Amino acid sequence: MAIERILKDDASEEKGERARMASFVGAMAIADLVKTTLGPKGMDKILQSTGRGQSVTVTNDGATILKSLHIDNPAAKVLVDISKVQDDEVGDGTTSVVVLAGELLREAEKLVASKIHPMTIIAGFRMAAECAREALLKRVVDNKTNEEKFKMDLMKIAKTTLSSKILSQDKEHFAKLAVDAVLRLKGSTNLESIQIIKKPGGSLKDSFLDEGFILDKKIGIGQPKRIENANILVANTAMDTDKVKIYGARVRVDSMAKVADIEAAEKQKMREKVDKILAHGINCFVNRQLIYNFPEELFANAGVLAIEHADFDGIERLALVTGGEIASTFDNPESVKLGHCKLIEEIMIGEDKLIKFSGVEMGQACTVVLRGASHHVLDEAERSLHDALCVLSQTVNDSRVLFGGGWPEMVMAKAVDELARTTPGKRSHAIEAFSKALVAIPTTIADNAGLDSAELVARLRAEHNKEESNAGINVISGSIGDMSELGISEAFKVKQAVLLSATEAAEMILRVDEIITCAPRRREDRM
């Protein structure tokens, strides 16, 4: 007697070998997709949306590429997720983490084919990951106590992070800019107070860091263009003429004089509201919504600078950096917290006028103004700079630093190889495979630069068998170089996150032995 099907008609399931193959293939395909963006000579991808406006993004940021893909394969989605988490957690290493996870699965596939149980492979991977982390910990450098050296470390990390991005040509300039911005935060990892404004025009070299806060708005007509010792009220309130705001209400009048009465009443109401706002003793009023001509005129007469339609992101940040709170009712002036700053003035950037708030309460606040040829360049520059800022702000807290350029992977691979030799049983195969997967990162860096990766990685391995070697791949000269002399450094936190996330993701996909695709819920035909 045939067993009835348990699942509904539209559902499907794949078991055992086929399910595992589907997972491996999906994950490796995603890793191969972003592999070419790794390293200083990595290439960019163009992402074109098929929606309205057909927006185009040019990027080599792993997380941005993967975020934009609509993927059907469940294992591939796991890799997309780890790159997102890597981006949120430490900001950089989004491509490395996907490449490493993909390579681990490629090695695991060979082991599964030679009849080693996935659980044995996972046990081996766990041991190898722990051993690799220990090997890195032994070689970290921590210069937290020496301020001069620590700042140099930050500069090196910023330059290394930016060298694989669009900003690599001007990395000195942008590294300095990013380090200055992060050191102002005094150890906070909240990047809210660093604002990035993008203005097309000029070249990337013209970008600069400005103390204080810049709001992308113009000052109203007839209002003071410069205010010293400003008291700022940040508000989110309707400053348009108070129409009769009962929806569907109709007002019938029997003469034009009555219409004038209604208008006069509205004006009076508005005047009272403006008087209430002025009672706070302010000389700058920033509103999220529109301010109509009449209230604007009243503010101008009172010598108050009124800024309308400051977008929500703008007023949230402005309230944060000036130490004020966003108000929406004005009956109790004593309960409203005003923002303060030393000077408000109008400045010009390119063709545009903007408003600059300097000497704000929150000393950490600063604004990075990016200039560039087009919106695509600016968007990519912003992503690159954001990565650098994230990594630096994490490094200020966890100041352990490693060399870069494939050096950490070779250090880890060497330690893991030694562990494989001393481990009895089948697990040693998995540990060996882990070491091969780690070497894939320097291999990919060399491949992307058009170098002979087999030759270079073999020479690199020989170098690392000497005691305390600092050898890594020098992509510029196409040979092996000393990373301490070249000043190529990476944050320990980034490398640790790459190692642990990739191992966990590979484990998760290895455990799969069945994929069940559920049928979508049908809508009942409602009469």
Side-chain angles (χ1 to χ4, degrees):
M1 189 179 113
I3 299 173
E4 290 293 320
R5 283 195 53 159
I6 301 172
L7 303 171
K8 279 191 172 176
D9 292 344
D10 297 354
S12 64
E13 60 176 332
E14 290 176 5
K15 290 193 171 178
E17 202 55 44
R18 286 194 56 181
R20 200 166 284 127
M21 275 306 298
S23 302
F24 286 163
V25 169
M28 286 190 274
I30 285 289
D32 289 342
L33 175 78
V34 292
K35 199 185 249 185
T36 52
T37 67
L38 189 69
K41 301 273 189 191
M43 306 301 273
D44 288 12
K45 307 261 182 260
I46 288 186
L47 309 168
Q48 185 174 13
S49 82
T50 50
R52 257 176 59 221
Q54 304 237 332
S55 65
V56 171
T57 311
V58 184
T59 182
N60 75 352
D61 178 45
T64 311
I65 295 168
L66 296 179
K67 242 187 304 201
S68 316
L69 300 178
H70 293 286
I71 294 171
D72 207 21
N73 185 298
K77 281 186 178 154
V78 172
L79 291 200
V80 173
D81 277 353
I82 58 167
S83 89
K84 264 192 206 150
V85 170
Q86 180 80 9
D87 197 28
D88 298 341
E89 191 64 25
V90 284
D92 197 19
T94 49
T95 310
S96 313
V97 71
V98 176
V99 171
L100 184 56
E103 289 302 325
L104 285 171
L105 289 170
R106 186 163 291 156
E107 294 298 329
E109 185 187 16
K110 294 174 197 163
L111 295 175
V112 170
S114 58
K115 299 282 181 283
I116 295 179
H117 193 277
M119 282 305 168
T120 314
I121 300 173
I122 287 172
F125 278 3
R126 286 227 167 131
M127 286 168 69
E130 194 47 49
C131 166
R133 189 170 163 275
E134 291 296 322
L136 281 188
L137 276 172
K138 283 181 196 146
R139 303 288 300 269
V140 291
V141 182
D142 192 342
N143 288 327
K144 185 106 195 203
T145 46
N146 183 337
E147 206 169 298
E148 199 59 34
K149 272 189 175 170
F150 184 52
K151 196 168 177 188
M152 284 298 296
D153 278 350
L154 288 180
M155 278 297 284
K156 286 178 188 169
I157 289 173
K159 277 192 254 180
T160 308
T161 301
L162 293 172
S163 62
S164 63
K165 314 265 194 258
I166 193 171
L167 303 176
S168 58
Q169 303 307 316
D170 309 312
K171 62 182 175 191
E172 285 282 341
H173 176 63
F174 282 101
K176 189 169 183 322
L177 205 137
V179 171
D180 287 350
V182 167
L183 287 177
R184 292 176 76 92
L185 293 179
K186 300 185 179 61
S188 150
T189 51
N190 179 13
L191 298 177
E192 287 275 301
S193 50
I194 300 177
Q195 185 198 19
I196 298 180
I197 286 184
K198 297 176 289 192
K199 284 281 164 209
S203 71
L204 283 169
K205 267 203 182 71
D206 301 335
S207 308
F208 61 92
L209 176 79
D210 208 317
E211 301 180 3
F213 182 86
I214 296 178
L215 193 64
D216 197 351
K217 290 284 156 208
K218 293 185 177 64
I219 291 180
I221 299 159
Q223 293 174 353
K225 299 278 191 233
R226 180 187 166 94
I227 291 179
E228 292 183 9
N229 297 330
N231 294 330
I232 306 163
L233 176 61
V234 185
N236 184 4
T237 181
M239 294 299 286
D240 42 7
T241 325
D242 269 333
K243 298 180 187 66
V244 180
K245 286 191 178 155
I246 305 165
Y247 293 105
R250 287 172 123 180
V251 181
R252 285 203 173 147
V253 289
D254 46 15
S255 73
M256 280 306 286
K258 294 273 171 57
V259 177
D261 288 349
I262 292 173
E263 281 181 352
E266 283 188 345
K267 276 195 164 178
Q268 186 53 35
K269 203 171 170 190
M270 197 75 232
R271 190 175 269 116
E272 282 166 14
K273 187 167 187 177
V274 171
D275 288 344
K276 272 186 195 168
I277 291 171
L278 293 174
H280 290 68
I282 57 167
N283 48 15
C284 174
F285 176 68
V286 183
N287 193 19
R288 159 98 171 75
Q289 299 175 33
L290 284 170
I291 302 178
Y292 271 30
N293 296 357
F294 179 61
E296 191 170 48
E297 186 189 324
L298 295 177
F299 283 125
N301 292 344
V304 169
L305 166 60
I307 303 166
E308 64 171 5
H309 228 257
D311 53 336
F312 196 68
D313 192 30
I315 64 162
E316 282 266 300
R317 205 179 250 137
L318 183 61
L320 175 84
V321 297
T322 55
E325 282 173 3
I326 299 174
S328 47
T329 55
F330 310 102
D331 293 328
N332 313 328
E334 61 283 349
S335 65
V336 174
K337 197 173 169 199
L338 297 179
H340 301 285
C341 80
K342 298 238 171 68
L343 175 67
I344 301 178
E345 58 188 337
E346 192 171 56
I347 58 168
M348 290 279 289
I349 296 177
E351 301 291 302
D352 300 335
K353 289 180 178 171
L354 298 95
I355 304 169
K356 178 179 168 189
F357 297 77
S358 29
V360 289
E361 287 264 304
M362 193 169 167
Q364 302 91 315
C366 58
T367 301
V368 177
V369 179
L370 289 178
R371 308 298 310 277
S374 72
H375 285 291
H376 300 138
V377 174
L378 286 174
D379 289 345
E380 178 63 353
E382 183 188 16
R383 280 190 288 272
S384 310
L385 193 62
H386 184 260
D387 280 4
L389 291 172
C390 286
V391 175
L392 291 174
S393 66
Q394 295 289 345
T395 314
V396 169
N397 281 353
D398 182 348
S399 56
R400 291 172 292 182
V401 176
L402 298 160
F403 295 122
W407 176 87
E409 285 77 17
M410 294 312 286
V411 169
M412 293 192 277
K414 183 185 169 196
V416 172
D417 263 341
E418 282 163 12
L419 175 71
R421 285 197 208 104
T422 55
T423 307
K426 284 184 179 175
R427 277 181 307 186
S428 64
H429 293 297
I431 297 173
E432 206 176 323
F434 194 92
S435 144
K436 278 189 199 145
L438 283 169
V439 177
I441 287 190
T443 310
T444 308
I445 291 175
D447 279 340
N448 288 347
L451 306 172
D452 182 351
S453 58
E455 163 77 13
L456 275 178
V457 171
R459 277 169 56 193
L460 198 54
R461 185 179 276 133
E463 280 291 322
H464 272 269
N465 270 326
K466 299 174 187 165
E467 279 304 303
E468 300 290 313
S469 164
N470 293 339
I473 293 178
N474 179 355
V475 181
I476 311 303
S477 70
S479 60
I480 304 296
D482 186 325
M483 293 294 120
S484 62
E485 285 169 19
L486 292 169
I488 297 176
S489 296
E490 292 188 61
F492 169 72
K493 195 159 183 182
V494 174
K495 278 290 162 220
Q496 176 177 287
V498 166
L499 178 71
L500 301 181
S501 305
T503 314
E504 282 172 15
E507 271 183 30
M508 195 168 169
I509 294 168
L510 261 175
R511 286 172 186 271
V512 173
D513 75 333
E514 186 165 354
I515 299 174
I516 301 169
T517 314
C518 302
R521 280 173 62 181
R522 286 221 182 94
R523 289 195 174 154
E524 278 87 35
D525 298 325
R526 294 197 179 91
M527 293 300 288

